[in-house]
Amino acid sequence: MSELYDILTETPPTKVVLLALDQGLWDCERSLAELSALCEANHMEAVAEVTQKRQTPEAGIVLGSGKLEEAAAAAAELGAECAVFDGELTGSQIRNISTALGGLEVIDRTMLILEIFRSRAVTNEGKLQTELALLRYRLPRLQGMGEALSRQGGGGGGGGGARRGAGETKLELDRRHVHARIDALAEKLAEMEKRRGESRKARAKTGMPVVSLVGYTNVGKSTLMNCLTKAGVLEENKLFATLDPTARKLTLPNGEDIMLVDTVGLVRRLPHKLVDAFHSTLEEALWADVVLNVCDASSPECNEQIMVTNDLLASLGCGDKPVINVMNKCDLVPHVTEFPIIGKCVCISAKNGSGTDKLLEEISAALPQKRRRVSLLLPFSAGKIAGELEKNGVVFSREYTESGIKMDVLAEISYLDKIKDYILPE
């Protein structure tokens, strides 16, 4: 284990107070439960919740002054060091709420998610994507985010109080630096995306079908990946345990090889800037032949999770892809046999492996029919064809008979068309 892991496990989590404005736009209780889970994923403990129902936010401070006084009292009594707002705040709102809470540090939901992504990113691309999202989010919030960004006057010049130009302010310097860094990161990521595209082209040339695992965070995608391929992907019962895509080869029961790709998990109201930054990672679903929408069957929000994923797939242009809804963790709800969803559904438990045989069958059936399994009878003079089938297809059996070489193979349909005279009738 890393030194950082040891520190996190030995250090008590930071206590935080959750703040929320309930305008009736979404289920506030569920959203706060998810925010609490996000805090836990970032080594924080939610010790109190302060919510207020109102149609419009209070100018400057979002919540009413009385609610903020209540939050300040709760924080002081429970030893909270930070307040987390369930939504997005402007720089001035962060400053004003912090002042109303007696100087308590204030972050919003998006900042929390970005921090989780920053701490979890492993690959160079993941780190760059996270930094880009963070800078794009911070840029419009530079003004009003504390004394460190306060303006400074230009230098004096001449006598009688005459002054030259105001000079470049601290805020302008920060903005210029952030703009430059955003441009540099975008350029690096564009180059990485170009290489990713070349990898996809190379993968497409092999003819190996691609199946992508998508879905809500913490529904068991990585567990399913490990169950099917022994990939060794990190499995943790917390949000965003996996950020970087993992690809592994999987052989289906019919002998066909596919590439199984795990992708970053989703949450409700995932920040748009984060979706944009991780677009190239999420695009693995766009290039897939089949998409597995993995859901937590034991969650009361199962249907909503499916909708979140389907909305993202639609935004990526995956509306025409075959999608199999995979209901995971069915061992926790054995009495449920049907789920009120539209489309194909397979019930499994990635933890104990139940239902995975059925899932593999459904994947085989959903894949575009690029290959076909046939029986062949080749003359002994067609040894070259037998060798090509061994190299580029899957040979289940090979038998030398008086009439020739009898083979049971899985091969590309385009190749079988060239040797159709040797295919035995079914």
Side-chain angles (χ1 to χ4, degrees):
M1 290 295 178
S2 67
E3 183 179 346
L4 176 61
Y5 179 83
D6 293 336
I7 292 172
L8 290 177
T9 54
E10 293 173 6
T11 306
T14 302
K15 293 182 178 180
V16 299
V17 173
L18 305 184
L19 308 177
L21 176 67
D22 186 0
Q23 295 178 272
L25 302 177
W26 51 73
D27 190 321
C28 187
E29 185 177 345
R30 287 185 178 180
S31 187
L32 277 173
E34 183 174 272
L35 185 64
S36 179
L38 287 167
C39 287
E40 184 180 348
N42 199 42
H43 202 61
M44 294 173 164
E45 179 188 2
V47 294
E49 296 178 1
V50 177
T51 63
Q52 184 174 32
K53 284 189 177 182
R54 53 186 300 164
Q55 292 299 314
T56 56
E58 181 73 20
I61 56 174
V62 187
L63 300 179
S65 56
K67 282 293 180 181
L68 291 180
E69 288 176 6
E70 180 185 332
E77 180 182 350
L78 299 171
E81 303 173 35
C82 179
V84 184
F85 182 77
D86 190 25
E88 290 193 0
L89 297 172
T90 65
S92 58
Q93 287 172 337
I94 291 172
R95 182 192 59 196
N96 294 338
I97 294 174
S98 178
T99 300
L101 296 177
L104 200 67
E105 181 185 1
V106 176
I107 63 173
D108 63 17
R109 180 189 180 93
T110 301
M111 289 179 185
L112 177 60
I113 293 175
L114 288 171
E115 175 58 27
I116 294 171
F117 269 60
R118 185 199 62 77
S119 64
R120 301 282 175 79
V122 176
T123 65
N124 189 37
E125 184 175 12
K127 292 176 180 177
L128 293 178
Q129 286 170 327
T130 305
E131 184 182 353
L132 179 61
L134 185 60
L135 291 176
R136 283 177 171 168
Y137 187 71
R138 285 190 61 190
L139 184 60
R141 290 165 176 77
L142 289 178
Q143 187 171 13
M145 288 188 70
E147 295 180 1
L149 300 179
S150 61
R151 291 183 175 271
Q152 57 188 21
R163 299 185 63 82
R164 295 175 182 165
E168 191 168 33
T169 66
K170 178 68 167 64
L171 177 60
E172 288 162 350
L173 279 168
D174 285 331
R175 280 177 175 162
R176 189 157 59 87
H177 171 74
V178 171
H179 274 296
R181 182 61 179 162
I182 285 175
D183 291 341
L185 289 171
E187 187 176 340
K188 287 182 182 178
L189 287 169
E191 181 62 29
M192 288 183 173
E193 173 57 21
K194 182 179 178 182
R195 290 200 297 269
R196 187 190 292 273
E198 291 171 353
S199 297
R200 289 192 186 111
K201 288 180 182 177
R203 192 166 62 194
K205 285 182 180 179
T206 66
M208 185 180 293
V210 178
V211 176
S212 285
L213 294 167
V214 299
Y216 216 71
T217 184
N218 204 34
V219 297
K221 296 191 301 299
S222 297
T223 305
L224 178 58
M225 180 79 150
N226 289 338
C227 174
L228 296 177
T229 69
K230 315 301 180 188
V233 181
L234 173 67
E235 297 177 27
E236 277 191 270
N237 185 26
K238 60 183 180 182
L239 305 188
F240 300 121
T242 303
L243 285 186
D244 299 296
T246 304
R248 293 290 186 275
K249 187 173 80 169
L250 170 65
T251 302
L252 296 174
N254 66 359
E256 185 172 12
D257 290 333
I258 66 170
M259 188 67 70
L260 191 64
V261 182
D262 191 10
T263 60
V264 63
L266 310 173
V267 293
R268 274 186 301 271
R269 291 147 54 209
L270 187 66
H272 290 296
K273 289 182 174 59
L274 202 54
V275 172
D276 292 341
F278 277 81
H279 193 270
S280 61
T281 303
L282 294 168
E283 266 190 343
E284 290 296 338
L286 177 61
W287 295 96
D289 295 287
V290 175
V291 175
L292 303 185
N293 182 0
V294 186
C295 314
D296 181 355
S298 66
S299 171
E301 304 168 23
C302 180
N303 288 337
E304 187 173 352
Q305 291 175 2
I306 294 174
M307 292 174 61
V308 168
T309 308
N310 286 338
D311 287 346
L312 176 73
L313 292 174
S315 71
L316 290 173
C318 302
D320 59 340
K321 299 286 181 184
V323 176
I324 301 174
N325 292 308
V326 182
M327 312 307 294
N328 189 27
K329 305 185 184 181
C330 286
D331 54 313
L332 301 179
V333 283
H335 57 283
V336 179
T337 56
E338 295 184 1
F339 296 91
I341 60 173
I342 299 174
K344 193 177 291 295
C345 166
V346 180
C347 298
I348 70 163
S349 170
K351 186 176 180 180
N352 60 34
S354 63
T356 53
D357 290 343
K358 174 66 174 175
L359 174 60
L360 293 176
E361 291 176 7
E362 294 293 346
I363 293 173
S364 297
L367 285 172
Q369 296 303 306
K370 298 178 182 178
R371 294 186 174 191
R372 187 158 61 99
R373 186 169 178 174
V374 297
S375 294
L376 298 169
L377 182 61
L378 301 174
F380 291 113
S381 59
K384 182 181 177 181
I385 294 176
E388 289 176 344
L389 289 168
E390 290 275 7
K391 182 179 179 181
N392 301 315
V394 180
V395 177
F396 297 101
S397 66
R398 179 172 182 164
E399 180 184 356
Y400 291 90
T401 68
E402 292 182 358
S403 305
I405 308 170
K406 189 173 183 180
M407 301 180 71
D408 180 11
V409 301
L410 177 73
E412 296 285 340
I413 292 176
S414 58
Y415 184 78
L416 291 175
D417 287 340
K418 297 177 182 177
I419 59 170
K420 58 184 178 182
D421 292 342
Y422 302 128
I423 298 178
L424 295 173
E426 296 181 2

